[in-house]
Amino acid sequence: MKLKKKSVTQNVFWVLICVLSNSYALGQDFTELYQEMSHSVVYISRTKPNRVPSKDYVENLGEGYSGTGFLISKRRVITPSHVVDFEDDIYVQFNDGQVTKGRKETNIEGVDLAIFTLDEHNENSKAVKLGNSDDIRIGDRLFSIGAPFGFPKSFYSGNLSNKVSNIGNFNPFFSLEYLQSDIYANSGSSGSPVFNGKGEVIGIMQHILTTDNTFQGSSFALSSNIIKRIIIGKERIWRGANLHPLSFDKVEFALPQENGLLVVAVDSDSFYGDLETDDLTNDGLAYNDRLLQKGDIILSINGIKIEFTSNVLSKIDAILLASTKNNPISVKVLRDGKILHMKTRSAID
């Protein structure tokens, strides 16, 4: 049936009204969510920021500026490792301007995540809710709150472009998932929480795809399900150390077996920092030389030889999860062509 011109005009009119109404509603939803969720976001600096904004506020805040983070409890904050970079003191500014200090609680080097504890909490702030990143679909609207170039409280929105895996990840114990979007990100945006339309965090901003160190249309956020796996699941095999998988064909390492784990960095507060050699033939070693260190190659854990199969990796992970003070873990390490036998010195909480 052929529609009359008037009917077509009326239909187009009502379609436009619906589209505009939905767009307006979406904007309103994000506006309200921003007001609510901005109290969960903190701004991280290596120098004490101004408490009261002024005309030169950005310059003062920007000197030594690091990035963004978000609260997972009243006094615990998540941010990328590269933002805090093992600093002893971290200055943190809440949404209302209150400034406090924080100290690193743990550094999860292999996934560029860190948790630090604040000296004080903020009465107006609240912890975020971590959503299910599996539920979002390509094309869904997302938004973030961060501090690109030192401008705190900045709001940006965009669409989910893709879900990708293992950007810059060489750790064999897990697969990372990143949410690619066109949300604006730049220096200072690292650590910005990415929210879904319910105000749940579904990612943390970590990378941009760029050829000149400025934003060029694609940003990448580590998914919330990976964050939950790390923080809530407490999987230990890759916490507290940056480990790179090696195979026997890497002849410069002269591995005595097919696979091993090269230690690139160790967090002294982690499981790996608790390892010490118990080999009596090494009593003459200086104290630091008795500990696991950069350049060591882990060959086995509790007698289980390192192999990059799901069966072996699951067994090792279960061993670490079950460890206690009365159940120390032993690790065989290759250092400078010599075998060292190490074990944990204290309980793994």
Side-chain angles (χ1 to χ4, degrees):
M1 180 178 70
K2 186 175 180 180
L3 293 173
K4 295 181 180 179
K5 186 175 181 181
K6 182 178 179 181
S7 299
V8 172
T9 303
Q10 288 176 335
N11 279 303
V12 170
F13 174 77
W14 284 113
V15 167
L16 286 173
I17 289 294
C18 291
V19 169
L20 291 173
S21 298
N22 288 337
S23 299
Y24 178 77
L26 179 60
Q28 288 300 297
D29 287 344
F30 275 11
T31 299
E32 294 171 4
L33 284 173
Y34 169 81
Q35 296 299 326
E36 180 182 359
M37 304 318 302
S38 60
H39 296 288
S40 302
V41 183
V42 299
Y43 308 100
I44 303 163
S45 176
R46 301 187 185 205
T47 57
K48 189 173 183 179
N50 280 349
R51 190 182 180 95
V52 181
S54 62
K55 65 179 181 179
D56 58 353
Y57 173 70
V58 174
E59 285 80 1
N60 290 332
L61 180 61
E63 183 179 355
Y65 197 83
S66 294
T68 307
F70 56 88
L71 292 158
I72 55 171
S73 68
K74 281 189 175 182
R75 292 175 54 194
R76 296 176 77 220
V77 172
I78 291 182
T79 194
S81 300
H82 72 263
V83 169
V84 291
D85 194 24
F86 291 99
E87 291 289 315
D88 290 334
D89 291 322
I90 306 162
Y91 286 98
V92 174
Q93 185 180 48
F94 293 98
N95 187 60
D96 62 5
Q98 177 185 337
V99 176
T100 187
K101 281 187 177 182
R103 288 185 178 273
K104 183 195 67 176
E105 176 183 324
T106 186
N107 190 77
I108 309 166
E109 186 71 24
V111 287
D112 192 20
L113 277 184
I115 305 170
F116 60 93
T117 303
L118 304 177
D119 290 351
E120 303 171 330
H121 75 276
N122 179 273
E123 292 293 339
N124 298 318
S125 295
K126 66 175 186 178
V128 302
K129 179 180 178 181
L130 291 173
N132 184 355
S133 52
D134 287 346
D135 288 344
I136 61 170
R137 301 170 300 173
I138 293 175
D140 281 351
R141 293 286 292 171
L142 310 171
F143 73 94
S144 72
I145 304 172
F149 296 117
F151 290 90
K153 307 181 186 180
S154 295
F155 168 92
Y156 293 97
S157 64
N159 296 85
L160 180 67
S161 307
N162 201 359
K163 294 183 179 182
V164 296
S165 299
N166 294 335
I167 299 175
N169 174 49
F170 302 100
N171 196 311
F173 289 96
F174 60 99
S175 177
L176 298 183
E177 179 186 60
Y178 289 90
L179 310 177
Q180 178 187 350
S181 74
D182 56 357
I183 294 176
Y184 180 88
N186 230 310
S187 177
S189 296
S190 291
S192 301
V194 176
F195 297 93
N196 61 17
K198 300 177 183 178
E200 300 168 334
V201 170
I202 48 82
I204 179 172
M205 199 70 73
Q206 287 188 334
H207 304 282
I208 58 175
L209 186 62
T210 179
T211 57
D212 62 1
N213 294 321
T214 60
F215 180 68
Q216 294 181 318
S218 288
S219 57
F220 297 87
L222 184 69
S223 72
S224 59
N225 284 359
I226 294 294
I227 297 172
K228 285 190 284 189
R229 178 178 164 188
I230 295 167
I231 305 305
I232 299 173
K234 296 183 179 179
E235 296 173 75
R236 303 170 190 267
I237 183 62
W238 36 268
R239 292 187 65 180
N242 188 356
L243 306 173
H244 284 204
L246 295 177
S247 299
F248 72 97
D249 55 353
K250 303 281 187 180
V251 293
E252 64 269 29
F253 292 103
L255 288 180
Q257 60 190 49
E258 187 170 350
N259 300 121
L261 290 171
L262 175 64
V263 179
V264 178
V266 179
D267 180 356
S268 60
D269 295 328
S270 70
F271 153 75
Y272 296 96
D274 197 45
L275 289 168
E276 181 179 357
T277 180
D278 64 349
D279 193 329
L280 297 179
T281 62
N282 291 288
D283 279 349
L285 289 176
Y287 177 72
N288 286 340
D289 289 336
R290 298 176 65 91
L291 308 179
L292 189 70
Q293 58 188 244
K294 179 180 179 179
D296 288 347
I297 299 174
I298 298 175
L299 300 177
S300 68
I301 295 178
N302 268 22
I304 298 179
K305 187 185 298 184
I306 298 297
E307 293 179 5
F308 304 137
T309 64
S310 58
N311 183 44
V312 169
L313 298 180
S314 295
K315 286 181 179 178
I316 293 175
D317 192 53
I319 289 171
L320 298 182
L321 286 170
S323 61
T324 65
K325 186 174 182 179
N326 296 323
N327 183 27
I329 294 174
S330 61
V331 176
K332 185 164 75 170
V333 170
L334 178 67
R335 179 188 297 171
D336 298 328
K338 298 180 180 179
I339 299 295
L340 297 178
H341 298 275
M342 297 184 170
K343 67 179 179 181
T344 50
R345 294 170 295 174
S346 60
I348 307 297
D349 52 12

